[in-house]
Structure formats: C-alpha cells, structure tokens
Amino acid sequence: MLAATVRVTRDLDLAEECVQDAYARALTVWADGVPRNPAAWLTTAARNRAIDLLRRQDRLRRLLPELVVDDVDPAYERGGIPDDRLRLICTCCHPALAQPAQVALTLRLLCGLTTAEVARAFLVPEPTMAARLTRAKKKIAGAGIPYREPDAAELPERLAGVLEVVHLLFTTGHTASTGADLVRADLVERALQLGRMLRTLCPGSGDVAGLLALMLLTDARRDTRVDAEGRLVLLADQDRDRWDGEEIADGVALVRDALRLGGPGRYALQAAIAAVHAEAPSWEHTDWREIVGLYDVLGTIWPSPVVALNRAVAVGFADGPDAGLAALDALAGEPQLAGYGYLAASRADLLRRLDRGAEAALAYEEALHLTGNEVERAFLAARLAEVRPAPGG
C-alpha cells in the first residue's frame, strides 16, 4: 500500500498519512462487512486520499522528506524493477545517506518493522535507533536529497543497502523478537520474494546469489523448528527428513554460483555455513571444523560480534565446551552484545554441558531477561529448571 501510494504522492510522509487514513476509514466503512478484496480497497482509498490532498497543495516540494519520482517510461516498467515494494526499497537506499541510515529507514517505513525490531537488528537500544531514524529524516529534509527510482546503471551502487534490508527483514522473520510465534512467516516470505526478484534483476551478482542461498538454506528447516505443541526444537533434534529438499538443492546450487561469480563474499560464506548443516546426514556428522574455518574467513571480510559469537559456539562443538566457553568469554566486553540474549543463552548451554549448574542457571536467568519471544522463553525456562540447584543444595 505504501509503495503504491508513494507513486502518487512522491513523498514518504504524506504517503504514510494517506495509508493511515485508509485504515481509519476502513474501521467505519467495513462495519457492515469486509469487501471482497480488502487490499485493493485499502490501496484505492489511500491513493484517492493522496489525490485529494495533492489538489489542495500549492507546492508539493515543501513537504519533506521528498521523493522526486520521474515519470515512468513504459519501456522501463517492462524491463526495470517489477515490484512496487522493491522499486521503493531501491529508491530509499540512496547513496547520499550512510548505509545504516538507508537500511534502518527502509526497514521502518517500508518493511513493517517497529523501531524496537529495527533496533534489535542493529544491536542498539531502541532510543538510540529512534534518534538515528529522526536524524536521517532530518538530513533528507534539510539537504533536500532528491529521491527517484534508480535506473539499471545506478542499481549496483545501491545494491549493498538493498541486500542488507532484505537480509535483516528475513532475519527478523526467521526468529521473531517478540510474540507467541517463533517465526513471522509474512516477513520470511516477503524477503524470499524480494531475493528472487533481485536474482532475476542481477543474475551476475555473487552477493545476490549468496543472500538468496542463505535464506533458502535457512528457511528449509522452518517446519521442524517447533514441535506439535509449539515448543522449540534445536537443530540437533530436528527431523532432517522433513527439511525442504528443494530449497536445500536450490540453495546449494546458488552457493556455488555465488562463489563463482564473486568469490567468498559475506553472504556466500554464511550460505556455505548453512550448506554444511543442510548437507550433513545427521547432527553427529556435522563438520564443525569446516564451519569454524568458514567463520574464520567470514570474520576477516566482515568483522562482527555476532560472527564471533557464532564462531565461539562452533568451537564449542569442534573442540569441546571448555574451548567454546573461552572463546565466548573473550566477547564479554563487546558493547554490541551487552543486551544480546543469545550471548547469555550460548554461555548457559556451554556451562550446562560442563555440569556447572549454578553458573548455568545464572546465565539462563540473564538470557530469559533479554529474550522477548515466548517460544524461546519457554525453552530457556525449561533448561533453567533442569540446571537450577535444588533448595538447600
């Protein structure tokens, strides 16, 4: 809806206002029944509201942040970006803004993520992210940054930001930060759709192939990540016969393409790690040393505290929990991980495996405090009950 309305308003803020007005109107008009095609009704209402507002304005350019959208050539429509949402994501990833600002604004405005979810994706506190979003919008307003749909020649300079948007959108959907469900299927499906479109638009990009491979190989396990009662199932306990074989085959082929096209890029290496898991016949046959080696390469081209955390977990399986705990404890002073629940949860698991129950219990309590997803919280609470010392013990 927002993407379609922007094509009329040429202004993100005004388009948001019109979309909200459409929802408000629907609450009244739909009292007697929902129309046959609610999405079309809402989109039409938002566009009509936009047209009404534009007719009352003398100068559209006074409304900022401004989106200057060139008239679309029909030939470009046929051969350019085929989807309103993807078109607008590419538009918003403007090189005049720093890439983190591009990605954060796009996730917040166009991908349905809350400020809290965007903050979690960037490993920063919510007030920090809210301030960043405000500064980015003020920069657009103050500098009068012109936004328009990029043509084919301009797409490569925006591609890194677009890929980061799609990756974080998928990550947020793969494990929802809050709520009763582990997966937000709407975000996962949207990210996969956008990834496939980008693959069609940029068949020669190793990064695009790598990202799509990573998403497919990760999503292949979706149906096995919770049991019939909705409880979390760890990778070690998942039924591999129920993994999506078609997604795995497509993902593995894309990993090869990504390495051939662009070498060991960030997404290709993450996808290669996912492929090691996907192709292992069982948990016991997982090649953890290969995974550690891939994390070593990934850490050199994309230094990240989360990469270091995942490497430490892999070390815990390759060389034993003592080695994993030492690698994990080396990250204790990493500020970006201070509020990251998976650090505490990983430490708790290593301590549990070392039969250090009291320390594990403290780590599980910390992880519970930092975790908002109810499925993950239930799992952590059960593990806490297992390791917590008995009263008076």
Side-chain angles (χ1 to χ4, degrees):
M1 285 176 59
L2 184 63
T5 307
V6 162
R7 298 191 64 120
V8 176
T9 64
R10 306 185 179 193
D11 180 279
L12 274 173
D13 281 347
L14 183 59
E16 280 193 291
E17 179 184 332
C18 293
V19 169
Q20 291 164 4
D21 285 347
Y23 280 120
R25 187 175 172 219
L27 288 173
T28 302
V29 176
W30 293 5
D32 296 326
V34 178
R36 181 183 305 175
N37 191 333
W41 190 100
L42 288 164
T43 302
T44 300
R47 289 170 65 93
N48 288 343
R49 175 62 174 161
I51 292 169
D52 289 342
L53 290 175
L54 293 178
R55 284 172 178 164
R56 301 173 192 173
Q57 297 172 354
D58 294 328
R59 296 183 63 198
L60 172 61
R61 290 174 184 257
R62 287 185 300 186
L63 291 175
L64 294 171
E66 187 179 44
L67 271 172
V68 180
V69 184
D70 295 339
D71 291 334
V72 179
D73 185 322
Y76 178 77
E77 280 279 19
R78 290 192 300 270
I81 300 172
D83 175 80
D84 271 339
R85 185 184 292 112
L86 181 57
R87 187 181 295 117
L88 193 52
I89 290 172
C90 294
T91 299
C92 288
C93 288
H94 193 285
L97 288 175
Q99 185 175 314
Q102 299 172 15
V103 175
L105 273 175
T106 306
L107 288 169
R108 177 69 189 93
L109 293 175
L110 302 178
C111 297
L113 271 61
T114 64
T115 300
E117 288 172 328
V118 178
R120 179 179 171 82
F122 280 84
L123 300 182
V124 299
E126 184 177 353
T128 301
M129 180 52 66
R132 288 184 185 178
L133 292 169
T134 299
R135 285 197 300 270
K137 295 185 79 173
K138 285 182 177 178
K139 180 176 181 179
I140 294 172
I145 295 174
Y147 274 61
R148 62 179 178 80
E149 296 174 24
D151 59 31
E154 294 174 307
L155 187 56
E157 68 178 341
R158 305 190 184 203
L159 190 57
V162 174
L163 291 176
E164 182 71 0
V165 168
V166 176
H167 179 233
L168 291 177
L169 183 66
F170 176 84
T171 301
T172 303
H174 177 68
T175 303
S177 58
T178 59
D181 297 321
L182 182 67
V183 177
R184 280 193 60 183
D186 58 329
L187 298 185
V188 170
E189 295 296 342
R190 187 179 305 165
L192 287 169
Q193 180 189 40
L194 293 170
R196 290 186 176 102
M197 288 183 195
L198 286 168
R199 174 68 173 159
T200 301
L201 286 170
C202 306
S205 170
D207 285 335
V208 171
L211 176 57
L212 183 55
L214 172 61
M215 293 191 295
L216 288 171
L217 289 165
T218 305
D219 186 57
R221 305 192 296 267
R222 189 198 309 186
D223 291 343
T224 64
R225 295 178 63 215
V226 294
D227 63 17
E229 286 74 39
R231 294 172 299 201
L232 183 69
V233 180
L234 296 182
L235 182 61
D237 302 316
Q238 291 172 11
D239 181 356
R240 295 177 181 234
D241 290 337
R242 293 178 54 215
W243 287 358
D244 190 318
E246 184 175 344
E247 282 193 320
I248 290 174
D250 290 345
V252 170
L254 282 165
V255 172
R256 297 192 186 102
D257 283 351
L259 295 173
R260 176 178 56 82
L261 290 167
R266 163 192 167 186
Y267 297 116
L269 285 168
Q270 289 177 279
I273 293 167
V276 174
H277 286 295
E279 293 187 309
S282 66
W283 171 258
E284 293 74 20
H285 288 87
T286 303
D287 191 338
W288 288 105
R289 296 205 175 277
E290 181 179 2
I291 290 174
V292 171
L294 288 168
Y295 273 123
D296 286 337
V297 179
L298 179 60
T300 63
I301 67 168
W302 186 51
S304 160
V306 174
V307 171
L309 168 59
N310 290 335
R311 180 191 178 278
V313 172
V315 167
F317 289 111
D319 299 323
D322 279 315
L325 189 61
L328 209 61
D329 285 345
L331 304 174
E334 188 64 55
Q336 282 186 283
L337 297 178
Y340 194 55
Y342 293 124
L343 175 60
S346 300
R347 190 169 188 277
D349 184 65
L350 289 165
L351 290 166
R352 179 188 63 84
R353 289 163 56 195
L354 289 167
D355 294 323
R356 292 162 60 176
E359 294 172 88
L362 289 173
Y364 278 123
E365 288 174 355
E366 180 184 357
L368 268 168
H369 176 70
L370 297 172
T371 300
N373 183 275
E374 294 303 321
V375 175
E376 291 184 316
R377 286 183 59 81
F379 174 83
L380 292 170
R383 280 288 168 90
L384 174 59
E386 291 176 11
V387 300
R388 178 177 280 157

